[in-house]
Amino acid sequence: MNEESRRKIRVWTALLVLVLGGVVLFAFRDSRPETRYYRHQGYVFGTYYNIRYEAAEDLEERILQRLDEFDASLSTFNPHSTISVLNQGRDTVWDAYFSAMYATAQEVNNLSHGAFDITVAPLVNAWGFGFTNRETVTPELIDSLRKVKNVLDASAIAKGQACDVIAELLRDNGSDNYLVDIGGEVVLHGHNDQGEPWRVGITKPEDDTTGQKAEIQEVIASTDLCMATSGNYRQFYYENGIRRSHTIDPRTGYPVNHNLLSATIVATSCMRADALATACMVLGADSAMMLIESLPDTECYLICAGEKEAASLIVIRSKGFHF
Ligand code: ADP
Ligand code: MG
């Protein structure tokens, strides 16, 4: 082959590579599916959900199916769920949701020295905040119920876990931008449909058993967050002038009664944040802050009742709570 033929081959090869490259690029651009933002709202686990995400297709059916699967594992209101069957004293296979819940519940139980305890179920029920009718509470009843350790209540951890589960489903379906809010527990990632970081509010803790009032105390903007809030301002009643709230101190058997009104936790998973938020409500502001400051990648925002003026609030943040 002479020099001229070699040159021609090189030119033709270069042209071919360019054309093929163009075709591949074009095909790739065209094969990328169109995405849009979806929003689904409804009721689950006795509370609301609000799920927003960017995806190439509507994932509502898959989300509802996942929530059903979750309910069939951890809902104490579903008599056939894994947790209910266990509570009825019948043998059952631990499913993956139950096992994950149990492991984190144990961990937070240890970290909080028993303040968080899913075996608190019989006490929650007796005080009228559980899945059976309220009972007439006497010190003797409390003592006997504190010894019952084989009835479990995952209410203080399951909503957060459900947020993690739905976020995972969205990620697995190619979504990078989503916000999952189940009853105030939140997992979010990326940006909203305006291309801005997602914004979520921390509710002002005002007495409100209707759950309708929701004045915002503080707005958090973020592109990557797992956050849960526990409060004593929605689930409570008065009995002979004494306020009884739904956070029970397992160490005494009585509802807690201190000036911490709500605890918002940011953690590495929403399941962990949810359990820690309840633990903090049991511990009270000082011990709660000590616990949270001792944990890596975990922050808190505590709202306490002020002492001087009625209805005044005091906010305490952990050192790394900057959002
Ligand atoms: P919310 O998000 O509704 O404010 P939490 O996450 O704090 O609530 O969960 C409150 C529920 O947790 C109670 O209604 C009760 O079922 C259960 N619970 C109460 N006290 C404890 C406790 N010390 N440890 C674990 N679960 C608890
Ligand atoms: Mg909780």
Side-chain angles (χ1 to χ4, degrees):
M1 227 187 283
N2 62 19
E3 188 54 39
E4 177 59 17
S5 320
R6 276 204 211 96
R7 200 185 63 84
K8 269 192 185 152
I9 288 174
R10 274 205 298 275
V11 168
W12 278 111
T13 311
L15 268 175
L16 194 69
V17 165
L18 268 176
V19 169
L20 277 179
V23 167
V24 166
L25 271 180
F26 189 77
F28 178 71
R29 198 203 64 182
D30 253 12
S31 75
R32 257 207 328 228
E34 287 256 337
T35 61
R36 53 162 280 211
Y37 277 81
Y38 293 87
R39 179 176 197 157
H40 310 304
Q41 285 166 298
Y43 286 89
V44 70
F45 319 138
T47 185
Y48 71 88
Y49 66 82
N50 175 12
I51 299 169
R52 293 154 69 185
Y53 57 93
E54 184 186 27
E57 57 181 327
D58 189 326
L59 301 170
E60 186 171 23
E61 258 179 52
R62 272 173 256 181
I63 292 170
L64 293 176
Q65 191 193 339
R66 205 51 76 87
L67 289 174
D68 272 350
E69 284 165 20
F70 192 80
D71 189 90
S73 173
L74 292 178
S75 170
T76 44
F77 294 95
N78 174 347
H80 309 295
S81 67
T82 303
I83 196 166
S84 294
V85 173
L86 269 175
N87 283 346
Q88 291 150 17
R90 291 195 278 139
D91 242 2
T92 181
V93 180
W94 285 25
D95 58 71
Y97 295 138
F98 186 92
S99 302
M101 179 283 290
Y102 197 84
T104 300
Q106 282 293 98
E107 190 196 344
V108 175
N109 177 267
N110 289 335
L111 289 172
S112 66
H113 302 290
F116 183 84
D117 189 346
I118 55 170
T119 72
V120 80
L123 290 160
V124 172
N125 288 339
W127 285 108
F129 297 106
F131 46 90
T132 61
N133 289 336
R134 180 168 151 192
E135 294 169 57
T136 310
V137 175
T138 60
E140 293 73 33
L141 179 69
I142 298 279
D143 274 346
S144 70
L145 293 181
R146 283 179 60 203
K147 296 188 187 98
V148 181
K149 294 289 173 199
N150 58 350
V151 180
L152 309 179
D153 174 5
S155 321
I157 182 168
K159 274 187 287 165
Q161 186 181 0
C163 290
D164 292 330
V165 165
I166 298 304
E168 190 188 355
L169 171 82
L170 295 172
R171 273 195 304 276
D172 288 349
N173 281 277
S175 182
D176 206 25
N177 297 302
Y178 51 81
L179 181 144
V180 182
D181 173 353
I182 304 182
E185 325 303 17
V186 176
V187 175
L188 61 80
H189 192 266
H191 298 85
N192 64 18
D193 55 357
Q194 306 295 308
E196 292 158 353
W198 295 102
R199 289 157 67 83
V200 287
I202 296 178
T203 308
K204 199 173 204 165
E206 289 176 298
D207 282 0
D208 168 34
T209 49
T210 67
Q212 298 300 309
K213 266 201 249 173
E215 211 181 308
I216 300 300
Q217 173 81 24
E218 179 121 359
V219 174
I220 307 276
S222 175
T223 57
D224 191 14
L225 189 78
C226 297
M227 184 173 100
T229 299
S230 280
N232 269 336
Y233 50 97
R234 287 200 174 138
Q235 304 283 335
F236 67 87
Y237 58 83
Y238 279 94
E239 186 188 45
N240 305 325
I242 302 171
R243 186 187 173 103
R244 303 296 192 195
S245 70
H246 75 153
T247 312
I248 311 295
D249 189 335
R251 301 161 302 185
T252 63
Y254 283 77
V256 295
N257 216 340
H258 45 57
N259 73 338
L260 179 56
L261 302 176
S262 90
T264 296
I265 307 293
V266 170
T268 46
S269 76
C270 201
M271 164 163 67
R272 208 175 143 80
D274 195 358
L276 284 169
T278 304
C280 286
M281 287 307 297
V282 176
L283 290 169
D286 293 347
S287 305
M289 188 55 79
M290 269 178 17
L291 168 63
I292 297 303
E293 291 291 19
S294 77
L295 302 174
D297 304 318
T298 311
E299 303 298 339
C300 70
Y301 181 100
L302 308 177
I303 307 179
C304 301
E307 270 166 27
K308 297 205 181 81
E309 285 166 63
S312 70
L313 301 173
I314 299 167
V315 171
I316 318 167
R317 301 155 198 259
S318 62
K319 290 195 190 76
F321 197 100
H322 309 296
F323 295 97

